[in-house]
Amino acid sequence: MDLGDALAQLVRIPSIAFAGFPRGPLDEAAALTASFFPGARYIEVPDEAPSIYAEYGPADGPTVLLYAHYDVQPAPGWDDAFTPTLRDGRLYGRGAADDKSGIVGHLGALQRLDFNPPVRVKVIIEGSEENGRQKILEVVREDPELLRADVMVIADGGNWKLGEPTLCTTLRGHGKLTVTLRTLENALHSGQFGGAAPDALLALTRLLATLHDDAGNVAVEGLTDASWPGTDLPEADFRRQAGVLDGVELIGDGTVADRLWARHAISVLGLDAPAVDGAGNIVIP
């Protein structure tokens, strides 16, 4: 099978696993993915599109689990997001990188081995990774042996440098926290109560500011940092990749690699506050 054609076929399918989007494209992507892998079967996932499972190689000995996903993020404001477009040798379209190329990467490796690898290989292609509901965990709990392996290869990362393959062996980890702060029973007129009545929004922004020092390093007691022992990522490359505006400084100190690969990071992902349009002269409760 031509891998470029396989990727283009996948990209054409708007397989979005978010509420409000149709189920049909997910089933279409599942069927197409299953057709790529001889002997593949469906694994039903509660309240989600199915995962695709296949197994190759000897039944005993080391086991490698290959993971990818066929669902994609929505594409608001992106015209022709699901029309695969080839530019300068690269294929563009929603999901071309994340993570339909992961499916094709696994497919290409197995094709080179004529689907007869020297070790046992399990393939699991998920259909609901992007929505964060993680319903596949229920499958793992129900049948832990299904995906048990000695090594997992997750084709859902990025290269540190264009054209240079990257193997990521560890992650910094991930945690989310929702904070609710209340100071008053009700909103108050700022002209009458401002200056003494505690403003919850102002208090919250002041608390958030304590999470970092003046240089932008994480300042939470108990979180220990390390130094990156490998090659650094040049600041100019990082600024270009991240789209940092001219005149804007990066946060933190040390090398870029230290900040990205050996230290903690804290981001504010969202903030519930009155919108400027329609906001009143009130102390926020």
Side-chain angles (χ1 to χ4, degrees), residues 187-220:
L188 301 172
H189 190 286
S190 60
Q192 187 174 3
F193 293 95
D199 183 315
L201 180 55
L202 183 60
L204 182 57
T205 58
R206 289 175 63 85
L207 287 171
L208 292 174
T210 67
L211 298 176
H212 299 82
D213 64 20
D214 290 341
N217 300 298
V218 170
V220 177

Side-chain angles (χ1 to χ4, degrees), residues 53-55 59 61-67 119-124 140 143-154:
Y53 180 84
E55 194 171 306
T63 300
V64 178
L65 175 67
L66 306 180
Y67 170 92
V119 297
R120 189 182 190 192
V121 173
K122 298 177 178 180
V123 180
I124 184 74
V140 177
D143 185 6
E145 291 300 318
L146 178 69
L147 301 182
R148 192 180 300 280
D150 300 289
V151 177
M152 296 178 64
V153 179
I154 302 174

